[in-house]
């Protein structure tokens, strides 16, 4: 590992050390000095070729970075790997700091076309029939928690330990299931790196009966025989879910247990660890043949309809069809899309429904979808229908005239923007005003009066109703802890394995020969999909620093790449902001071998789209479906698109670009 910048050596100036400590007063004092030494320190490099500005960008020190920039810190310095300070900030999701750097314009020298890749780490997860996998991490994966992996209070140790110099500390993790016990390698203390992509993997026939033990050890030498156990912490995996409803689990995946001194059994500290259990997936239906991914259609642009014909928007600048409804998907197909994107969640009674938001605001409260039964969920959409359907009598005559048995899907009346019997929708909108998003004016759901409304659909209905040549970009929605915190949701959900197995069962039964790609923002969902099936490619979606998260895997381009490569995912879907701000990062991402897709408002600008595809023809773009209709002919030609009778879709130009807008 690299030496910490806090360590004193001849490679670090006083300014480097002051920035490392985030000591603004010291930084100001050094910069205010009129000495030549102070000026030289501003752009001097240390280990890895980093100037003080590099350290501020890596550690996201806004105030310190501002002081350095105002003093004349250079941004065109390249470190030993050829990276700029701006690229380090953007790569780690520090976009506000990156904008601060951009506001201090200076002449930039042309850097090399490519960035040197970092060392790739791959997790050796196992697939064994009938065997569960327990992934154990020391410390919390939730960065809003400041609990240390191991807290050892030396003042509580017995006198014989206090009298000794305790160096070379480590933790030995063991698992026990019945009479068998297995030991794992030591983890040295203190832990100086994020271990979220370096779990210990325990194979178990019955995870509920597995016992984890954490032995804090003293290793005075390199000899195993000299290891002395100071204290031990023990956890029974099955007890971690007590107090929750059946088939439910806590979104808080880290647990703190007492550390007891060997011999005296006195509490001398604590151990905090995170755990993820993945059970094997069993389905009576044979697995589908491996899908290639919707982007693998040769010679054409795959056009993807986001939530059907587009996500509903509070701006309402265009006529909206209720998102994630059957009518929205049929309209998108009529416009020429080759793939539809949609969101899948589970109801309380394990029905796979197509719905985006975690909270069902149509209830008049902030109620999680997984707390409603399927009948309750369906009723909320159907309740907006007028008391009398104006077309019911004519539909009946049509059925009689054509001798139809009524089994075909009836073209029902779309409840749109008219004033006919809209009291139910008005009452619903009034209730929604008192929800959290309603109070903030953010609600944009499938509501009559705001969109062409139709009840929501299910995954099974989509698989059975839409033509099989239409590909699916299926996003599995599952709340992460930080999302539950920010939305004031309960910190519990349907147990992850139950959740994923239910969705996979429906897919295995009804997918046929359809080309399906699975995506998710949740790292745990992606891990479960990797471990449970090989039929569908998996893309991890990442906000790339545009929204503060508490999971390093979900909040930056770096987190997305490191997670996807560690778990052998097919690719990533990230906000386009990093690629627009630092184009070499797109090259870096694609050089990892991952399928790279970008989304966000910037992709709706043709210049930004061209910026990403000009030198990277296999970059996948997600833009609003209706933006294609608005493109002027010259802009369409620049993007390699041609005009059809329905909309602007692509047949030439950069390969593997699809259109949609995602969140």
């Amino acid at each position: 590992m690299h030496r910490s910048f806090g360590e004193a050596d001849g490679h670090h100036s006083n300014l480097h050390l002051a920035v490392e400590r985030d000591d603004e007063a010291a930084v100001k004092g050094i910069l205010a000095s009129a000495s030549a030494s102070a000026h030289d320190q501003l752009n001097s490099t240390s280990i890895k070729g980093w100037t003080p500005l590099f350290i501020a960008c890596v550690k996201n020190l806004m105030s310190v970075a501002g002081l350095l920039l105002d003093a004349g810190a250079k941004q065109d310095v390249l470190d030993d790997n050829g990276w700029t300070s701006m690229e380090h900030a953007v790569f780690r999701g520090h976009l506000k700091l990156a904008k601060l750097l951009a506001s201090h314009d200076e002449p930039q020298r042309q850097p090399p076309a490519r960035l040197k890749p970092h060392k790739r780490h791959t997790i050796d997860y196992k697939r064994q029939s009938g065997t569960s996998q327990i992934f154990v991490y020391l410390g919390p994966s939730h960065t809003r928690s400041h609990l240390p992996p191991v807290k050892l209070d030396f003042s509580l140790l017995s006198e014989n330990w206090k009298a000794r110099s305790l160096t070379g500390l480590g933790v030995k993790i063991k698992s026990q299931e019945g009479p068998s016990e297995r030991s794992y390698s030591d983890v040295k203390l203190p832990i100086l790196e994020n271990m979220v992509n370096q779990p210990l993997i325990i194979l178990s026939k019955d995870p509920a009966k597995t016992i984890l033990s954490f032995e804090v050890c003293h290793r005075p030498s390199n000899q195993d025989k000299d290891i002395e156990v100071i204290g031990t912490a023990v956890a029974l995996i099955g007890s971690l879910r007590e107090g929750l409803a059946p088939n439910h689990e806590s979104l808080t995946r880290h647990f703190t247990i007492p550390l007891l001194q060997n011999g005296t059994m006195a509490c001398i500290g604590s151990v905090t660890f995170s755990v993820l259990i993945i059970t094997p997936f069993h389905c009576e239906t044979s697995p589908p043949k491996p899908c290639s991914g919707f982007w693998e259609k040769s010679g054409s642009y795959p056009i993807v309809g986001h939530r059907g014909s587009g996500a509903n928007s509070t701006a309402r600048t265009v006529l909206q069809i209720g998102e994630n409804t059957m009518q929205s998907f049929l309209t998108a197909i009529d416009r020429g899309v080759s793939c539809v994107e949609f969101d899948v969640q589970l109801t309380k009674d394990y029905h796979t429904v197509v719905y985006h938001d975690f909270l069902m605001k149509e209830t008049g409260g902030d109620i999680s979808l997984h707390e409603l039964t399927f009948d309750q969920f369906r009723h909320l959409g159907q309740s907006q229908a007028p008391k009398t359907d104006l077309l019911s009598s004519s539909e009946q005559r049509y059925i009689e005239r054509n001798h139809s048995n009524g089994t075909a899907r009836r073209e029902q009346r779309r409840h749109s923007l008219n004033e006919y019997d809209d009291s139910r929708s008005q009452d619903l909108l009034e209730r929604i005003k008192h929800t959290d998003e309603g109070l903030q004016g953010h609600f944009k759901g499938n509501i009559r009066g705001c969109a062409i409304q139709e009840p929501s659909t299910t995954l099974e209905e989509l698989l059975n109703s839409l033509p099989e040549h239409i590909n699916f970009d299926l996003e599995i929605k599952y709340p992460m802890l930080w999302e539950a915190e920010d939305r004031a949701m309960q910190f519990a959900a349907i147990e992850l394995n139950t959740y994923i197995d239910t969705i996979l069962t429906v897919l295995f039964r009804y997918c046929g020969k359809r080309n399906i790609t699975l995506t998710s923002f949740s790292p745990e969902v992606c891990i479960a999909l990797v471990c449970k099936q090989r039929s569908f490619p998996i893309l991890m979606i990442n906000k790339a620093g545009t929204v503060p998260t508490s999971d390093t895997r979900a909040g930056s381009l770096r987190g997305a790449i490191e997670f996807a490569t560690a778990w052998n995912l097919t690719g990533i879907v990230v906000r386009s902001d990093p690629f627009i701000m630092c184009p070499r990062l797109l090259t870096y991402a694609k050089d990892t071998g991952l399928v790279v897709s970008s989304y966000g408002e910037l992709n709706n600008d043709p210049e930004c789209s061209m910026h990403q595809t000009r030198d990277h023809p296999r970059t996948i773009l997600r833009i609003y479906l209706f933006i294609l209709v608005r493109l002027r002919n010259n802009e369409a030609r620049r993007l390699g698109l041609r005009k059809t009778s329905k909309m602007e879709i692509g047949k030439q130009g950069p390969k593997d670009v699809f259109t949609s807008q995602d969140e």
Side-chain angles (χ1 to χ4, degrees), residues 621-639:
L621 304 184
R622 296 184 171 209
I623 66 178
Y624 281 110
L625 183 63
F626 62 78
I627 291 295
L628 289 178
V629 182
R630 293 181 167 186
L631 287 173
R632 296 191 300 272
N633 286 339
N634 62 328
E635 292 173 332
R637 283 194 295 271
R638 291 178 62 194
L639 285 172

PDB file of all heavy atoms in Angstrom, residues 621-639:
ATOM      1  N   LEU A 621     -25.720   5.679 -25.180  1.00  0.00           N
ATOM      2  CA  LEU A 621     -26.298   6.899 -24.629  1.00  0.00           C
ATOM      3  C   LEU A 621     -27.758   6.684 -24.287  1.00  0.00           C
ATOM      4  O   LEU A 621     -28.488   6.027 -25.025  1.00  0.00           O
ATOM      5  CB  LEU A 621     -26.191   8.063 -25.621  1.00  0.00           C
ATOM      6  CG  LEU A 621     -24.807   8.435 -26.140  1.00  0.00           C
ATOM      7  CD1 LEU A 621     -24.922   9.664 -27.022  1.00  0.00           C
ATOM      8  CD2 LEU A 621     -23.855   8.691 -24.992  1.00  0.00           C
ATOM      9  N   ARG A 622     -28.189   7.282 -23.191  1.00  0.00           N
ATOM     10  CA  ARG A 622     -29.606   7.279 -22.832  1.00  0.00           C
ATOM     11  C   ARG A 622     -30.095   8.715 -22.896  1.00  0.00           C
ATOM     12  O   ARG A 622     -29.596   9.573 -22.178  1.00  0.00           O
ATOM     13  CB  ARG A 622     -29.812   6.725 -21.427  1.00  0.00           C
ATOM     14  CG  ARG A 622     -29.400   5.260 -21.284  1.00  0.00           C
ATOM     15  CD  ARG A 622     -29.724   4.736 -19.913  1.00  0.00           C
ATOM     16  NE  ARG A 622     -29.535   3.292 -19.857  1.00  0.00           N
ATOM     17  CZ  ARG A 622     -30.205   2.486 -19.060  1.00  0.00           C
ATOM     18  NH1 ARG A 622     -31.108   2.972 -18.236  1.00  0.00           N
ATOM     19  NH2 ARG A 622     -29.984   1.186 -19.056  1.00  0.00           N
ATOM     20  N   ILE A 623     -31.076   8.983 -23.761  1.00  0.00           N
ATOM     21  CA  ILE A 623     -31.646  10.315 -23.850  1.00  0.00           C
ATOM     22  C   ILE A 623     -33.163  10.189 -23.888  1.00  0.00           C
ATOM     23  O   ILE A 623     -33.710   9.111 -24.090  1.00  0.00           O
ATOM     24  CB  ILE A 623     -31.131  11.092 -25.085  1.00  0.00           C
ATOM     25  CG1 ILE A 623     -31.605  10.431 -26.382  1.00  0.00           C
ATOM     26  CG2 ILE A 623     -29.623  11.190 -25.069  1.00  0.00           C
ATOM     27  CD1 ILE A 623     -31.169  11.158 -27.623  1.00  0.00           C
ATOM     28  N   TYR A 624     -33.855  11.313 -23.691  1.00  0.00           N
ATOM     29  CA  TYR A 624     -35.308  11.278 -23.695  1.00  0.00           C
ATOM     30  C   TYR A 624     -35.823  10.814 -25.047  1.00  0.00           C
ATOM     31  O   TYR A 624     -35.349  11.272 -26.095  1.00  0.00           O
ATOM     32  CB  TYR A 624     -35.881  12.664 -23.408  1.00  0.00           C
ATOM     33  CG  TYR A 624     -35.875  13.055 -21.972  1.00  0.00           C
ATOM     34  CD1 TYR A 624     -35.023  14.054 -21.524  1.00  0.00           C
ATOM     35  CD2 TYR A 624     -36.717  12.430 -21.059  1.00  0.00           C
ATOM     36  CE1 TYR A 624     -35.020  14.433 -20.193  1.00  0.00           C
ATOM     37  CE2 TYR A 624     -36.719  12.795 -19.731  1.00  0.00           C
ATOM     38  CZ  TYR A 624     -35.870  13.806 -19.300  1.00  0.00           C
ATOM     39  OH  TYR A 624     -35.860  14.173 -17.989  1.00  0.00           O
ATOM     40  N   LEU A 625     -36.793   9.936 -25.032  1.00  0.00           N
ATOM     41  CA  LEU A 625     -37.366   9.430 -26.275  1.00  0.00           C
ATOM     42  C   LEU A 625     -37.922  10.570 -27.119  1.00  0.00           C
ATOM     43  O   LEU A 625     -37.685  10.634 -28.319  1.00  0.00           O
ATOM     44  CB  LEU A 625     -38.474   8.415 -25.954  1.00  0.00           C
ATOM     45  CG  LEU A 625     -39.141   7.719 -27.130  1.00  0.00           C
ATOM     46  CD1 LEU A 625     -38.125   6.889 -27.877  1.00  0.00           C
ATOM     47  CD2 LEU A 625     -40.288   6.854 -26.655  1.00  0.00           C
ATOM     48  N   PHE A 626     -38.613  11.522 -26.468  1.00  0.00           N
ATOM     49  CA  PHE A 626     -39.241  12.575 -27.265  1.00  0.00           C
ATOM     50  C   PHE A 626     -38.219  13.580 -27.784  1.00  0.00           C
ATOM     51  O   PHE A 626     -38.515  14.368 -28.670  1.00  0.00           O
ATOM     52  CB  PHE A 626     -40.348  13.295 -26.477  1.00  0.00           C
ATOM     53  CG  PHE A 626     -39.881  14.006 -25.247  1.00  0.00           C
ATOM     54  CD1 PHE A 626     -39.243  15.225 -25.325  1.00  0.00           C
ATOM     55  CD2 PHE A 626     -40.094  13.446 -23.997  1.00  0.00           C
ATOM     56  CE1 PHE A 626     -38.829  15.870 -24.186  1.00  0.00           C
ATOM     57  CE2 PHE A 626     -39.681  14.091 -22.854  1.00  0.00           C
ATOM     58  CZ  PHE A 626     -39.041  15.312 -22.946  1.00  0.00           C
ATOM     59  N   ILE A 627     -36.991  13.565 -27.264  1.00  0.00           N
ATOM     60  CA  ILE A 627     -35.970  14.463 -27.772  1.00  0.00           C
ATOM     61  C   ILE A 627     -35.665  14.148 -29.234  1.00  0.00           C
ATOM     62  O   ILE A 627     -35.377  15.022 -30.037  1.00  0.00           O
ATOM     63  CB  ILE A 627     -34.679  14.355 -26.933  1.00  0.00           C
ATOM     64  CG1 ILE A 627     -34.921  14.931 -25.531  1.00  0.00           C
ATOM     65  CG2 ILE A 627     -33.512  15.071 -27.592  1.00  0.00           C
ATOM     66  CD1 ILE A 627     -35.207  16.414 -25.523  1.00  0.00           C
ATOM     67  N   LEU A 628     -35.769  12.866 -29.599  1.00  0.00           N
ATOM     68  CA  LEU A 628     -35.489  12.482 -30.981  1.00  0.00           C
ATOM     69  C   LEU A 628     -36.445  13.164 -31.946  1.00  0.00           C
ATOM     70  O   LEU A 628     -36.075  13.536 -33.045  1.00  0.00           O
ATOM     71  CB  LEU A 628     -35.588  10.962 -31.131  1.00  0.00           C
ATOM     72  CG  LEU A 628     -34.469  10.157 -30.466  1.00  0.00           C
ATOM     73  CD1 LEU A 628     -34.740   8.676 -30.651  1.00  0.00           C
ATOM     74  CD2 LEU A 628     -33.128  10.529 -31.028  1.00  0.00           C
ATOM     75  N   VAL A 629     -37.700  13.329 -31.545  1.00  0.00           N
ATOM     76  CA  VAL A 629     -38.678  13.972 -32.405  1.00  0.00           C
ATOM     77  C   VAL A 629     -38.325  15.435 -32.584  1.00  0.00           C
ATOM     78  O   VAL A 629     -38.581  16.033 -33.625  1.00  0.00           O
ATOM     79  CB  VAL A 629     -40.085  13.821 -31.796  1.00  0.00           C
ATOM     80  CG1 VAL A 629     -41.131  14.439 -32.700  1.00  0.00           C
ATOM     81  CG2 VAL A 629     -40.388  12.344 -31.581  1.00  0.00           C
ATOM     82  N   ARG A 630     -37.692  16.032 -31.570  1.00  0.00           N
ATOM     83  CA  ARG A 630     -37.391  17.460 -31.601  1.00  0.00           C
ATOM     84  C   ARG A 630     -36.091  17.784 -32.345  1.00  0.00           C
ATOM     85  O   ARG A 630     -35.814  18.942 -32.607  1.00  0.00           O
ATOM     86  CB  ARG A 630     -37.288  17.988 -30.172  1.00  0.00           C
ATOM     87  CG  ARG A 630     -38.602  17.960 -29.427  1.00  0.00           C
ATOM     88  CD  ARG A 630     -38.411  18.511 -28.038  1.00  0.00           C
ATOM     89  NE  ARG A 630     -39.689  18.786 -27.411  1.00  0.00           N
ATOM     90  CZ  ARG A 630     -39.826  19.377 -26.229  1.00  0.00           C
ATOM     91  NH1 ARG A 630     -38.758  19.742 -25.564  1.00  0.00           N
ATOM     92  NH2 ARG A 630     -41.010  19.604 -25.725  1.00  0.00           N
ATOM     93  N   LEU A 631     -35.266  16.779 -32.612  1.00  0.00           N
ATOM     94  CA  LEU A 631     -33.991  17.051 -33.268  1.00  0.00           C
ATOM     95  C   LEU A 631     -34.215  17.640 -34.657  1.00  0.00           C
ATOM     96  O   LEU A 631     -35.007  17.133 -35.448  1.00  0.00           O
ATOM     97  CB  LEU A 631     -33.176  15.766 -33.396  1.00  0.00           C
ATOM     98  CG  LEU A 631     -32.550  15.218 -32.121  1.00  0.00           C
ATOM     99  CD1 LEU A 631     -31.926  13.862 -32.417  1.00  0.00           C
ATOM    100  CD2 LEU A 631     -31.512  16.163 -31.570  1.00  0.00           C
ATOM    101  N   ARG A 632     -33.517  18.731 -34.949  1.00  0.00           N
ATOM    102  CA  ARG A 632     -33.565  19.279 -36.297  1.00  0.00           C
ATOM    103  C   ARG A 632     -32.820  18.332 -37.232  1.00  0.00           C
ATOM    104  O   ARG A 632     -31.952  17.569 -36.830  1.00  0.00           O
ATOM    105  CB  ARG A 632     -32.924  20.670 -36.326  1.00  0.00           C
ATOM    106  CG  ARG A 632     -33.673  21.696 -35.478  1.00  0.00           C
ATOM    107  CD  ARG A 632     -33.163  23.100 -35.763  1.00  0.00           C
ATOM    108  NE  ARG A 632     -31.746  23.218 -35.454  1.00  0.00           N
ATOM    109  CZ  ARG A 632     -31.274  23.544 -34.264  1.00  0.00           C
ATOM    110  NH1 ARG A 632     -32.117  23.755 -33.257  1.00  0.00           N
ATOM    111  NH2 ARG A 632     -29.971  23.655 -34.065  1.00  0.00           N
ATOM    112  N   ASN A 633     -33.151  18.386 -38.505  1.00  0.00           N
ATOM    113  CA  ASN A 633     -32.584  17.430 -39.452  1.00  0.00           C
ATOM    114  C   ASN A 633     -31.067  17.468 -39.475  1.00  0.00           C
ATOM    115  O   ASN A 633     -30.409  16.433 -39.549  1.00  0.00           O
ATOM    116  CB  ASN A 633     -33.136  17.707 -40.856  1.00  0.00           C
ATOM    117  CG  ASN A 633     -34.584  17.260 -40.986  1.00  0.00           C
ATOM    118  OD1 ASN A 633     -35.032  16.429 -40.215  1.00  0.00           O
ATOM    119  ND2 ASN A 633     -35.291  17.825 -41.952  1.00  0.00           N
ATOM    120  N   ASN A 634     -30.477  18.695 -39.403  1.00  0.00           N
ATOM    121  CA  ASN A 634     -29.016  18.757 -39.458  1.00  0.00           C
ATOM    122  C   ASN A 634     -28.401  18.158 -38.207  1.00  0.00           C
ATOM    123  O   ASN A 634     -27.357  17.501 -38.256  1.00  0.00           O
ATOM    124  CB  ASN A 634     -28.553  20.200 -39.640  1.00  0.00           C
ATOM    125  CG  ASN A 634     -28.970  21.098 -38.487  1.00  0.00           C
ATOM    126  OD1 ASN A 634     -30.016  20.869 -37.892  1.00  0.00           O
ATOM    127  ND2 ASN A 634     -28.171  22.120 -38.192  1.00  0.00           N
ATOM    128  N   GLU A 635     -29.060  18.341 -37.043  1.00  0.00           N
ATOM    129  CA  GLU A 635     -28.549  17.739 -35.819  1.00  0.00           C
ATOM    130  C   GLU A 635     -28.682  16.225 -35.878  1.00  0.00           C
ATOM    131  O   GLU A 635     -27.820  15.487 -35.407  1.00  0.00           O
ATOM    132  CB  GLU A 635     -29.296  18.295 -34.607  1.00  0.00           C
ATOM    133  CG  GLU A 635     -29.008  19.770 -34.355  1.00  0.00           C
ATOM    134  CD  GLU A 635     -29.883  20.344 -33.269  1.00  0.00           C
ATOM    135  OE1 GLU A 635     -31.000  19.826 -33.086  1.00  0.00           O
ATOM    136  OE2 GLU A 635     -29.464  21.310 -32.615  1.00  0.00           O
ATOM    137  N   ALA A 636     -29.795  15.759 -36.464  1.00  0.00           N
ATOM    138  CA  ALA A 636     -29.993  14.318 -36.591  1.00  0.00           C
ATOM    139  C   ALA A 636     -28.918  13.699 -37.474  1.00  0.00           C
ATOM    140  O   ALA A 636     -28.401  12.626 -37.183  1.00  0.00           O
ATOM    141  CB  ALA A 636     -31.381  14.031 -37.178  1.00  0.00           C
ATOM    142  N   ARG A 637     -28.571  14.400 -38.567  1.00  0.00           N
ATOM    143  CA  ARG A 637     -27.539  13.868 -39.450  1.00  0.00           C
ATOM    144  C   ARG A 637     -26.196  13.807 -38.740  1.00  0.00           C
ATOM    145  O   ARG A 637     -25.422  12.867 -38.906  1.00  0.00           O
ATOM    146  CB  ARG A 637     -27.443  14.731 -40.708  1.00  0.00           C
ATOM    147  CG  ARG A 637     -28.560  14.475 -41.721  1.00  0.00           C
ATOM    148  CD  ARG A 637     -28.227  15.083 -43.064  1.00  0.00           C
ATOM    149  NE  ARG A 637     -28.152  16.538 -42.999  1.00  0.00           N
ATOM    150  CZ  ARG A 637     -29.205  17.337 -43.188  1.00  0.00           C
ATOM    151  NH1 ARG A 637     -30.389  16.820 -43.458  1.00  0.00           N
ATOM    152  NH2 ARG A 637     -29.072  18.636 -43.115  1.00  0.00           N
ATOM    153  N   ARG A 638     -25.912  14.828 -37.902  1.00  0.00           N
ATOM    154  CA  ARG A 638     -24.646  14.833 -37.170  1.00  0.00           C
ATOM    155  C   ARG A 638     -24.571  13.671 -36.188  1.00  0.00           C
ATOM    156  O   ARG A 638     -23.500  13.143 -35.906  1.00  0.00           O
ATOM    157  CB  ARG A 638     -24.485  16.153 -36.410  1.00  0.00           C
ATOM    158  CG  ARG A 638     -24.271  17.354 -37.321  1.00  0.00           C
ATOM    159  CD  ARG A 638     -24.183  18.608 -36.501  1.00  0.00           C
ATOM    160  NE  ARG A 638     -23.043  18.542 -35.595  1.00  0.00           N
ATOM    161  CZ  ARG A 638     -22.865  19.364 -34.573  1.00  0.00           C
ATOM    162  NH1 ARG A 638     -23.771  20.288 -34.316  1.00  0.00           N
ATOM    163  NH2 ARG A 638     -21.812  19.251 -33.802  1.00  0.00           N
ATOM    164  N   LEU A 639     -25.736  13.273 -35.668  1.00  0.00           N
ATOM    165  CA  LEU A 639     -25.771  12.142 -34.749  1.00  0.00           C
ATOM    166  C   LEU A 639     -25.913  10.814 -35.482  1.00  0.00           C
ATOM    167  O   LEU A 639     -25.970   9.756 -34.862  1.00  0.00           O
ATOM    168  CB  LEU A 639     -26.942  12.300 -33.764  1.00  0.00           C
ATOM    169  CG  LEU A 639     -26.733  13.341 -32.664  1.00  0.00           C
ATOM    170  CD1 LEU A 639     -28.030  13.535 -31.888  1.00  0.00           C
ATOM    171  CD2 LEU A 639     -25.626  12.909 -31.719  1.00  0.00           C
TER     172      LEU A 639
END
